Amino acid sequence: MVKAVVLGAAGGIGQPLSLLLKISPLVDELSLFDVVNTPGVAADLSHIASPAVIDGQVAAKGDFKGEQAETEEAKKKALTGADIVIIPAGVPRKPGMTRDDLFKINAGIVKDLVVAIAKYAPKASIAIISNPVNSTVPIAAEVLKEAGVFDPKKLFGVTTLDVVRAETFVAGITGEKDPRKLTIPVVGGHSGNTIVPLFSQAKPSVKIPEDKLDALVNRVQFGGDEVVKAKDGLGSATLSMAYAGFRFTEALLKAAKGEKGIVEPTFVYLPGVEGGDEIQKITGTDFFSVPVELGPSGAEKAINILSGANDYEKKLLDEAVKGLKTNIETGVSFIKNPP
Ligand code: NAI
């Protein structure tokens, strides 16, 4: 029996992601939590003729003592028995905002939710979508460490949307009709120039014309801005993100059931994952997104494809590392030296 939980389930990402989980044969039980509207979303999804049993929990409206207890109880009900918890809770970007601008609000939201996971589902895998991922994942790691339940093999920053975009944009250039046939590793972090597509490591190999390379890299790094601009103040990527979040969750669940050879890039704590030390020697950062082989215990092996980067990509990696170090530090100090 597999229980999946979505925290922030009533939002732009949360709703379509919950829909995909509800119809997935890999999920037996689906629990939704949000600060608003979860009962409606759960009631709606419950009419879909699929086996997953669904439950929706909502926080109390206010923050007085009794209401706090009610919210705590809702989190407890949603999380107890969870095998995997996916977090798309928080505010999205508006035009002109960077992902780091979201930190002030989302840092506290992610912290509180991970405190509840540590209490009610300490063994669950945690997939964090809430931005800025480069900082929210370190926040989660610190909270779990403080609670004494940190398992680095089970904490993931979801960077799959960057991979999905890279596959789509490259297919548009090479003429591949089905972008899913391409494996384009994207490494580093999940914002602007911390996102590094490694086209030299693509499988099957791809030839990007030199005059298109800069624009392609830029489009992978800032593809999210296209959506933010097009939505004109109504948020950022939700549908493509729900697809990407589901693709990553499916990979985790298939690997947990023993399927072999499942590899997805994801933002992990390098010192805690096999193979991570070697990568850390190159990046000098505690966290980095690299292709990770997934298995029953979670992140089984971080695969070092950075050594194969060409000179052009090495420069991109250097830039990425600079930005990432600051983002990671911001997340860690939010917990260690609370504002
Ligand atoms: P949204 O505003 O539509 O939905 C967020 C949901 O979180 C809302 O339903 C809200 O009520 C809920 N929420 C707020 N505080 C909460 C709390 N304390 N507990 C539980 N739920 C809470 O936003 P959207 O578009 O769904 O984006 C969510 C997050 O995902 C944003 O931080 C956004 O930047 C991020 N994102 C990440 C991507 C990635 O590639 N990792 C891609 C796109 C967005």
Side-chain angles (χ1 to χ4, degrees):
M1 291 292 279
V2 171
K3 177 173 175 178
V5 179
V6 181
L7 305 178
I13 296 167
Q15 291 201 35
L17 176 61
S18 301
L19 168 64
L20 293 168
L21 292 166
K22 170 72 175 105
I23 59 177
S24 169
L26 297 166
V27 176
D28 303 296
E29 212 182 315
L30 177 61
S31 210
L32 312 181
F33 174 81
D34 201 298
V35 291
V36 290
N37 301 341
T38 347
V41 175
D44 193 354
L45 291 174
S46 75
H47 290 184
I48 293 174
S50 68
V53 175
I54 190 157
D55 163 66
Q57 298 293 329
V58 68
K61 285 207 166 66
D63 205 25
F64 290 114
K65 216 169 175 197
E67 291 163 327
Q68 280 177 10
E70 216 180 290
T71 298
E72 191 63 23
E73 191 55 28
K75 287 181 186 166
K76 184 179 176 183
K77 277 195 188 138
L79 287 165
T80 303
D83 298 290
I84 176 162
V85 183
I86 308 133
I87 313 184
V91 290
R93 288 189 292 158
K94 295 217 158 64
M97 284 174 95
T98 67
R99 292 180 181 86
D100 291 334
D101 293 333
L102 302 173
F103 183 83
K104 272 200 192 112
I105 303 171
N106 290 354
I109 292 176
V110 170
K111 178 189 155 208
D112 289 350
L113 292 173
V114 177
V115 165
I117 297 171
K119 254 195 249 169
Y120 305 122
K123 292 202 180 315
S125 291
I126 307 172
I128 299 191
I129 293 173
S130 315
N131 271 318
V133 166
N134 296 356
S135 305
T136 53
V137 175
I139 286 176
E142 288 305 317
V143 170
L144 295 165
K145 274 185 206 166
E146 279 189 3
V149 295
F150 182 39
D151 179 355
K153 293 167 93 174
K154 295 202 162 170
L155 177 65
F156 309 91
V158 182
T159 56
T160 323
L161 183 54
D162 304 321
V163 177
V164 168
R165 284 184 179 132
E167 290 169 357
T168 307
F169 301 158
V170 168
I173 289 177
T174 63
E176 170 59 61
K177 286 207 168 55
D178 186 352
R180 289 171 299 184
K181 290 195 178 133
L182 297 170
T183 301
I184 313 279
V186 182
V187 300
H190 174 68
S191 78
N193 64 4
T194 68
I195 300 170
V196 181
L198 294 181
F199 298 123
S200 70
Q201 307 297 306
K203 285 200 180 92
S205 68
V206 293
K207 184 127 193 59
I208 311 292
E210 218 169 293
D211 61 334
K212 295 207 164 127
L213 185 58
D214 284 345
L216 178 62
V217 169
N218 189 270
R219 193 165 181 215
V220 173
Q221 292 181 327
F222 295 92
D225 295 3
E226 289 177 21
V227 182
V228 173
K229 196 166 165 237
K231 290 198 175 177
D232 198 18
L234 292 179
S236 57
T238 54
L239 302 172
S240 50
M241 182 60 236
Y243 165 78
F246 179 67
R247 168 170 150 171
F248 185 68
T249 306
E250 219 184 8
L252 283 178
L253 294 178
K254 282 183 180 166
K257 287 202 162 147
E259 201 173 310
K260 295 272 173 249
I262 298 186
V263 174
E264 282 285 349
T266 171
F267 193 70
V268 289
Y269 180 68
L270 295 172
V273 178
E274 193 194 322
D277 289 355
E278 195 188 317
I279 296 164
Q280 203 185 17
K281 276 189 200 133
I282 302 172
T283 65
T285 58
D286 277 353
F287 294 85
F288 214 75
S289 186
V290 280
V292 170
E293 193 176 323
L294 303 169
S297 61
E300 304 231 311
K301 192 167 192 284
I303 302 167
N304 176 16
I305 57 163
L306 306 185
S307 312
N310 60 31
D311 288 346
Y312 179 90
E313 292 165 344
K314 279 191 180 130
K315 274 194 203 131
L316 295 177
L317 283 169
D318 287 346
E319 276 306 306
V321 163
K322 277 187 219 155
L324 255 179
K325 279 188 175 153
T326 314
N327 295 159
I328 293 167
E329 187 44 43
T330 308
V332 171
S333 69
F334 181 77
I335 301 300
K336 286 201 168 154
N337 315 300

